[in-house]
Amino acid sequence: MRKRSPVYFDEKSEIWNVFSYTDVRKVLWDYKNFSSEFEMDGILKGTIINLDPPAHDKLRALVSDPFSPNNVGQLSNRIKDIVNEILNNVKGNEIDIISELAIPVPVRVIANLLGLREEDLWKFKDWTDSLVGVNDYSTDKITELIEYLSEIIAERKTEPKKDLISLLLCSTVDGEKLTEKQLLGFIVLLLIAGNETTTNLIGNGVLTLLENKNSLYELKKDKQKMTTAIEEILRYRSPVQGMFRVAKNDVELSGKKIKKGSAVLAWIGSANRDENQFPNADKFIIDRSPNPHLAFGSGVHTCLGAPLARLEGKIVLSTLLERFSNMELVDQRLEPITNGLFYGVKSLKIY
Ligand code: HEM
């Protein structure tokens, strides 16, 4: 598609599909023509992912600080503890990377950030699963989650702690604070945007290294290569394959006339394999540099959690390489997940 029809209107879905690197980047950057303010139901309506500047930038400034690389770096030891604790509890020689490691790690990290009680973890896991469709989508579960979070917010208002909720409660920009609705929406956004994506980064990483054994050995010999390895995994098997926008004006893209109001889908996964941008795009090159992939988006909506996702990915992969030094796939038959624009596998057993 990228070569034959780089900007393609699908009559059935009535969606404009955008495939080349240059066009995908343009759609993600150009919020004046390609807006994020499309109809969204429920709690995510009006969160940063659903707003254009200037409203977007104001709200993002209120929530950004805890996610800066510096602040996220301080979570390193806690993340290592979580990963080791999970691996210490694995019974036998086999582990399903997805269900036993890649799903629990991001959920535990976010629960930790939010300062939730240990005994609430299992409930929290159940609620977050229903947000991303592992369980059947259940409005009751979402209501339960919102009630639970509202209670925690109320507790933190009277007795602040050193956690994300307490920090966000006192964050101010130009004298303005987050409303309770904005805070709740943001926390739910974190759960949706941060969990399954990171799960798939971890799963896709292990799978890619098992398929590219030379890279796996290189990485074992030289841990410094982990930084470029994570970027290349993100490019090669992008956890989020595409993002939606809506045309705000009549706009032309690579010679195609897109009418105001049309839905536009920017295919990040395709852009990241574009030969015009990445030489040998279909090859996994562990020390590829430069690597300006779009896996975390681009422009004003660039992933807020990118430093956290990178850190989690690095810690999980490094720990696995130490503890499963000769890892192999138990079964070569893998099933892709079927959750919208997310890309990963359902299960990945190694020994
Ligand atoms: C935005 C991907 C992990 C929070 C985005 C966007 C992408 C993305 C493509 C851009 C959305 C757009 O353009 O409309 C990923 C991937 C991840 C990951 C591939 C893991 C490998 C995380 C984590 C968190 C997070 C761990 C937080 C805990 C967010 C938020 C936004 C966002 C809040 C909205 C930013 C805005 O609209 O200004 N992410 N994400 N993400 N991500 Fe991530």
Side-chain angles (χ1 to χ4, degrees):
M1 290 304 282
R2 200 165 46 236
K3 286 202 178 104
R4 275 181 292 121
S5 294
V7 177
Y8 170 77
F9 184 68
D10 178 45
E11 311 244 339
K12 213 163 136 213
S13 59
E14 299 191 347
I15 293 171
W16 281 98
N17 293 270
V18 178
F19 296 105
S20 77
Y21 183 91
T22 317
D23 288 339
V24 167
R25 194 166 178 280
K26 182 163 197 299
V27 170
L28 296 176
W29 262 90
D30 183 2
Y31 59 82
K32 289 194 173 136
N33 282 313
F34 300 100
S35 165
S36 292
E37 291 184 353
F38 43 84
E39 270 310 302
M40 217 181 240
D41 285 338
I43 186 96
L44 289 187
K45 191 177 162 62
T47 58
I48 46 175
I49 209 155
N50 188 221
L51 287 174
D52 296 333
H56 166 272
D57 300 1
K58 208 167 155 191
L59 199 51
R60 181 156 167 150
L62 275 167
V63 295
S64 290
D65 198 41
F67 294 91
S68 70
N70 247 349
N71 285 334
V72 159
Q74 291 170 20
L75 298 172
S76 222
N77 284 339
R78 186 66 199 116
I79 300 175
K80 281 182 197 157
D81 288 346
I82 291 173
V83 174
N84 278 314
E85 194 191 309
I86 290 175
L87 289 176
N88 290 344
N89 285 328
V90 170
K91 308 235 167 5
N93 302 327
E94 258 181 50
I95 170 171
D96 183 347
I97 294 292
I98 305 298
S99 63
E100 293 180 77
L101 189 66
I103 292 179
V105 168
V107 176
R108 294 269 307 266
V109 170
I110 294 204
N112 209 264
L113 258 176
L114 294 172
L116 307 188
R117 292 178 289 260
E118 277 288 314
E119 63 265 29
D120 292 342
L121 269 182
W122 67 271
K123 282 192 279 180
F124 186 66
K125 159 101 185 55
D126 192 33
W127 292 325
T128 50
D129 280 355
S130 37
L131 281 177
V132 290
V134 176
N135 291 335
D136 286 338
Y137 181 83
S138 146
T139 344
D140 289 352
K141 291 265 171 67
I142 311 287
T143 313
E144 271 174 40
L145 170 65
I146 307 271
E147 279 169 9
Y148 172 78
L149 291 172
S150 305
E151 267 173 43
I152 306 260
I153 292 173
E155 276 174 35
R156 297 298 185 271
K157 270 187 183 162
T158 48
E159 214 179 309
K161 293 193 174 174
K162 276 192 181 160
D163 57 26
L164 183 66
I165 296 183
S166 309
L167 276 175
L168 293 175
L169 275 170
C170 47
S171 159
T172 50
V173 168
D174 298 337
E176 278 187 47
K177 283 186 155 193
L178 287 173
T179 63
E180 184 155 337
K181 185 172 177 284
Q182 283 172 328
L183 179 55
L184 270 173
F186 179 65
I187 296 171
V188 175
L189 172 62
L190 288 183
L191 303 179
I192 294 176
N195 280 336
E196 193 165 359
T197 47
T198 313
T199 295
N200 292 328
L201 165 62
I202 296 168
N204 294 350
V206 173
L207 175 60
T208 305
L209 291 175
L210 286 170
E211 279 174 356
N212 295 272
K213 283 284 174 62
N214 285 343
S215 301
L216 182 70
Y217 299 136
E218 258 184 77
L219 202 51
K220 267 203 248 175
K221 268 198 301 196
D222 182 359
K223 289 270 170 62
Q224 300 296 326
K225 290 200 172 147
M226 191 54 92
T227 304
T228 53
I230 292 284
E231 298 311 307
E232 182 65 345
I233 292 162
L234 285 159
R235 181 195 72 83
Y236 186 74
R237 282 205 164 97
S238 306
V240 176
Q241 287 282 301
M243 285 313 307
F244 274 103
R245 294 292 188 265
V246 62
K248 219 170 174 176
N249 305 299
D250 288 348
V251 53
E252 202 172 307
L253 194 65
S254 284
K256 299 285 169 149
K257 291 190 167 66
I258 299 178
K259 280 230 160 335
K260 181 178 174 178
S262 309
V264 178
L265 179 49
W267 284 100
I268 289 173
S270 162
N272 283 343
R273 294 287 189 107
D274 189 338
E275 280 285 341
N276 290 327
Q277 182 65 35
F278 302 100
N280 294 315
D282 287 335
K283 221 172 148 211
F284 179 77
I285 301 174
I286 194 159
D287 46 10
R288 185 184 286 276
S289 174
N291 191 350
H293 65 73
L294 302 175
F296 288 123
S298 195
V300 294
H301 291 281
T302 299
C303 179
L304 182 69
L308 179 59
R310 287 183 165 118
L311 183 66
E312 289 183 50
K314 276 183 200 169
I315 292 175
V316 171
L317 290 187
S318 313
T319 316
L320 267 181
L321 289 183
E322 277 160 24
R323 300 187 54 153
F324 287 75
S325 52
N326 295 310
M327 57 181 169
E328 295 286 348
L329 269 184
V330 170
D331 191 343
Q332 303 286 337
R333 287 164 303 175
L334 300 170
E335 220 185 310
I337 53 166
T338 48
N339 190 1
L341 294 167
F342 289 142
Y343 181 62
V345 289
K346 281 187 182 164
S347 156
L348 188 67
K349 289 199 178 125
I350 63 154
Y351 61 91

